[in-house]
């Protein structure tokens, strides 16, 4: 009887090990990426809601946006996938309500210090200050410049190979901690 139990245990062990090894292969992709149709971009009137980017959840989305734009591109081994919520005011108007959430799939991103080398044309962190805590996350941040608009720009690395950046226009700076806290990739 003991021999049968030992054989049963030894026989079950490889099956359990194979099952454990197979699980990561079925896991969700490490970085959300746009579909081929999304690479062409589009403008939504009215703006989409909290699930405007597939694979990205923006739990805290302030009100007051009239349109949204999906932005996606691939270049130099990097995929950028973003959505920009905006109102109809001119970009130079400091009352302009805008929120830009972007996911950058970059295999070399491991931790916060890597953001200073992020290979993107718009929204770099080369001049960012020291790391800070915002919305429960450790982020790099800087004041938005003319290219990004007026407001606050922050970024973090939620996991290896994935970078999240957020640009909140001047009227949304008070909401920025809740916005950052609510983003799930």
């Amino acid at each position: 009887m003991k021999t049968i139990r030992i054989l049963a245990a030894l026989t079950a062990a490889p099956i359990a090990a194979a099952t454990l090894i197979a699980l990561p292969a079925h896991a969700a992709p490490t970085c959300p990426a746009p579909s081929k149709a999304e690479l062409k971009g589009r403008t939504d009137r009215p703006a989409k809601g909290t699930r405007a980017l597939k694979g990205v959840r923006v739990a805290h989305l302030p009100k007051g946006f009239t349109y949204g734009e999906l932005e996606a591109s691939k270049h130099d081994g990097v995929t950028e996938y973003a959505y920009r919520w905006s109102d109809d005011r001119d970009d130079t108007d400091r009352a302009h309500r805008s929120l830009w959430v972007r996911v950058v799939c970059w295999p070399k991103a491991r931790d916060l210090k890597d953001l200073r080398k992020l290979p993107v044309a718009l929204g770099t962190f080369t001049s960012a200050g020291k790391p800070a805590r915002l919305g429960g996350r450790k982020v790099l941040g800087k004041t938005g410049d003319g290219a990004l608009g007026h407001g606050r720009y922050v970024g973090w690395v939620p996991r290896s190979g994935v970078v999240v950046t957020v640009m909140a226009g001047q009227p949304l700076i008070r909401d920025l901690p809740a916005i950052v806290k609510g983003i799930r990739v």
Side-chain angles (χ1 to χ4, degrees):
M1 196 67 146
K2 286 184 180 178
T3 306
I4 293 172
R5 286 185 193 152
I6 293 171
L7 285 174
L10 289 174
T11 306
I15 294 169
T19 304
L20 290 175
I21 292 169
L23 286 176
H26 299 292
T30 59
C31 195
S35 66
K36 287 183 181 180
E38 289 174 321
L39 284 171
K40 296 176 184 173
R42 67 169 190 268
T43 300
D44 302 313
R45 281 194 183 269
K48 288 193 172 191
T50 61
R51 296 192 185 265
L53 291 166
K54 290 178 185 164
V56 180
R57 168 95 172 157
V58 181
H60 181 80
L61 186 61
K63 298 203 182 300
F65 300 116
T66 54
Y67 71 93
E69 289 182 271
L70 181 72
E71 301 165 352
S73 67
K74 290 184 178 185
H75 57 86
D76 306 318
V78 173
T79 301
E80 295 183 55
Y81 189 36
Y83 198 84
R84 182 185 312 259
W85 291 267
S86 189
D87 67 10
D88 286 330
R89 288 184 182 92
D90 188 271
D91 290 349
T92 59
D93 185 346
R94 294 208 181 254
H96 176 66
R97 295 179 65 81
S98 66
L99 176 64
W100 183 44
V101 175
R102 173 177 64 173
V103 175
V104 181
C105 302
W106 180 42
K108 293 183 181 179
R110 300 283 180 251
D111 57 33
L112 210 52
K113 71 178 186 303
D114 295 330
L115 286 184
R116 295 185 192 280
K117 299 177 274 180
L118 190 64
V120 295
L122 186 64
T124 62
F125 286 93
T126 52
S127 64
K130 293 181 179 181
R133 291 206 72 73
L134 183 68
R137 300 183 191 274
K138 194 170 182 183
V139 302
L140 273 184
K142 67 180 198 174
T143 302
D145 56 19
L148 294 175
H150 303 288
R152 190 81 182 138
Y153 180 61
V154 298
W156 66 95
V157 180
R159 63 180 172 268
S160 186
V162 181
V163 174
V164 177
T165 67
V166 175
M167 176 61 195
Q170 194 74 35
L172 303 177
I173 290 177
R174 281 187 287 165
D175 289 306
L176 192 54
I179 293 167
V180 168
K181 183 178 183 178
I183 293 178
R184 298 285 177 259
V185 181

